[in-house]
Structures are given as structure tokens and as C-alpha cells.
């Protein structure tokens, strides 16, 4: 036969080293078999190879019969977030009070923008009473971070009453310091631009108004008044509506003047509303502002002067009434002097 090439010729091993080569080959083969068996067992059990001691198969006695515990290592079940549980309870409570006939009317009133359970505001607050009132109410006991989480869950719901419920809880929450107020304000801004319409935006403006007790929070509104979103600008204008004597009048008039010529209905309405609210505190200042501001929309003027005009009309009627009463008294006195009776 032809000679084999050098690289195919059998390896010549001296007899003194043959037993070493045989033992090494046998050991390598055995290790390979053992490794393959381990891999097969672990893949069957679905246990990761890097699981360490916990990855070892555990045995448990099942009667007189032992078997592999394929559920090992045991996975700890994650408990649901407390705020998620509360959100689910709130949704279930609202759903239990649904009224289809009211839902149709409420949806129509909101221009078909949102779906409703058909729960009126008094019924909604009655259902939410455990979460709003009392020492253990979530509105009072939960931290600012927890409430931000809760309103996120409620805001993702399809039914509009869930967003109202989030506002009901938030408006009762008291921020303890400026840092908490800033984090709450940032979260509220995200809600203002999500599922936006006047109903929730005006409610969230009350939440922002509660944070203004902290020094420097009004400076945040200086950025909001220049925002691209009309809803964010609206909140900046009306957030001081309930502050009365604590209203920063200079800032209020500045915001109204910056957007006096804005033809957007919700901005013009907000300007008039904010001025009308402040007119209860300082009607003369509001009247001067309306008279001196050029380009102010007619809608804003009407809304701003509504209470002032009513007061003037009431005062005029009262003066007329008093003058008539005074004349009657004078007439009676003169008749008495002439000797006539009052009924004569």
C-alpha cells in the first residue's frame, strides 16, 4: 500500500507513556459525559446554570415516594403596590354606582371627548369618603410620592370619573415643604397636558393653588405662563383664584396683560375669571386694570366686571329703596302734625 502522508500517519507513543495517554483520554471522556448529563437535567428543570447553590435540584418526600421539586428555587411573589390596590378599589367603587342614562348626558356635555360611568359629583364624593376624610384617609396619610403614583394609575383609566377622583384626593393633600411642592407641581403639569379639558384642568389649578403657600412657588408659574400649551397657561392665570387677600396682584395683572389680546376662548375666559375673583378683594384695582388695558378681549371685560356691575346695580336699587322709605316716613310725620292718622 502507498505510504500515508506525514500528517495522517499514526502517532507513535512509547510503551512507557501509553498508560498515561489512555487514562487521560478516559478521564476527559467521563467529564464530558457528566457535563452533558448535568446540562440535560438543568434544562429539564429550567434552572439557570449560574444560580449557584439554589440551582441544585431539591428533593422532597411525597408520601413514600421522593421526586424532584421542579419549582425550586422558589420565586417570591411580588406584592402589588398599595397605591395600585387603592386605585383598583376606587375604580370598582365608582363602577358600582354607574348610571347609563346619566353617562350619556355627561358624555354629551363634554362634547363626546370622554366616557363616563354616570356618577354625579355628590355621589362620587360619597363613595370616596373613606379615601378623603378621617385620620386614615389616603389623602392625609400618603406621602407626596405615593399620591403621585396613585394619580398616575387613576389617570390611565378610561372613565372620566377616575380623573375626577384623583383630583378629589390631590386637592386635600398638604405638601409639607417646598421640595415636595415642586415634585407635586411637576407631576401635575404632566396631568394638565394629558386628557386635557377645562373640567380637570381647572380642578388641578386648585391643587397648584394649595402649593403656593410655600415661598418661591409662584416663580414656577412665571415659566408656565409662557408655555406652548394653552392649558398650562390657563392654570398659571387662575391658580390664585382662591387666595383673596394673599393674591399676588402685581403678578396676576402682569399675566393678564401679557395675554390680553389672546383670542383663544379658554385663555380669555381664564383672564376674566381670575379678575372677577380678585374683584371681591379689590374691585377698584380690577376696574382700573380693565379700563387702562388696551386690546383686552370683550369676553374678559364682561367676566371681570360682572360682580362690580352687580354690586353697583344692587347699591343703586338699595339707595332708591331707602329714599322711598325716607319719603314715606316724612309724609307720615307731616300727616301727624296736621292731625291725620297714618291710615287716613
Amino acid at each position: 500500500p502507498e505510504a500515508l502522508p506525514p500528517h495522517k500517519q499514526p502517532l507513535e507513543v512509547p510503551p512507557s507513556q501509553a498508560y498515561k495517554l489512555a487514562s487521560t483520554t478516559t478521564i476527559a471522556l467521563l467529564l464530558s459525559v457528566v457535563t452533558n448529563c448535568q446540562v440535560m437535567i438543568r434544562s429539564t428543570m429550567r434552572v439557570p446554570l449560574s444560580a449557584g447553590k439554589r440551582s441544585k435540584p431539591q428533593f422532597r418526600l411525597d408520601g413514600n415516594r421522593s421526586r424532584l421539586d421542579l419549582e425550586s428555587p422558589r420565586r417570591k411573589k411580588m406584592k402589588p403596590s398599595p397605591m395600585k390596590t387603592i386605585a383598583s378599589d376606587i375604580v370598582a367603587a365608582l363602577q358600582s354606582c354607574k348610571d347609563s342614562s346619566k353617562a350619556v348626558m355627561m358624555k354629551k356635555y363634554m362634547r363626546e371627548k370622554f366616557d363616563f360611568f354616570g356618577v354625579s359629583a355628590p355621589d362620587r364624593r360619597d363613595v370616596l369618603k373613606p379615601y378623603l376624610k378621617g385620620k386614615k384617609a389616603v389623602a392625609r396619610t400618603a406621602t407626596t410620592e405615593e399620591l403621585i403614583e396613585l394619580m398616575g394609575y387613576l389617570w390611565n383609566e378610561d372613565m372620566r370619573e377616575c380623573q375626577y377622583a384623583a383630583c378629589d384626593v390631590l386637592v386635600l393633600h398638604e405638601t409639607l415643604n417646598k421640595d415636595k411642592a415642586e415634585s407635586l407641581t411637576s407631576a401635575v403639569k404632566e396631568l394638565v397636558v394629558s386628557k386635557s379639558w377645562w373640567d380637570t384642568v381647572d380642578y388641578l389649578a386648585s391643587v397648584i393653588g394649595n402649593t403656593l403657600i410655600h415661598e418661591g412657588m409662584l416663580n414656577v408659574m412665571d415659566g408656565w405662563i409662557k408655555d406652548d400649551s394653552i392649558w398650562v397657561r390657563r392654570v398659571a392665570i387662575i391658580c390664585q383664584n382662591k387666595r383673596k387677600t394673599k393674591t399676588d396682584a402685581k403678578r396676576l395683572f402682569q399675566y393678564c396683560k401679557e395675554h390680553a389680546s389672546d383670542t383663544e376662548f379658554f385663555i380669555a375666559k381664564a383672564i376674566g375669571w381670575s379678575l372677577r375673583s380678585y374683584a371681591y378683594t379689590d374691585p377698584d384695582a380690577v376696574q382700573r386694570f380693565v379700563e387702562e388695558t388696551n386690546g383686552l378681549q370683550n369676553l374678559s371685560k364682561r367676566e371681570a366686571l360682572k360682580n362690580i356691575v352687580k354690586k353697583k346695580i344692587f347699591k343703586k336699587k338699595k339707595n332708591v329703596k331707602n329714599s322711598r322709605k325716607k319719603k314715606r316716613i316724612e309724609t307720615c310725620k307731616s300727616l301727624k302734625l296736621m292731625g291725620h292718622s297714618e291710615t287716613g
Side-chain angles (χ1 to χ4, degrees), residues 5 56 60 79 106 114 168 179 199 201-202 214 239 256-257 265 289 292-293 312 314 322-323 343:
K56 292 182 179 180
R60 66 182 180 188
K79 291 184 178 179
M106 293 168 78
F114 310 102
D168 287 334
D179 292 337
D199 53 346
V201 169
D202 293 353
H214 300 291
C239 65
C256 293
K257 194 170 184 177
F265 171 81
F289 176 80
E292 295 172 1
T293 304
K312 285 184 177 180
F314 178 76
N322 289 338
S323 64
T343 58

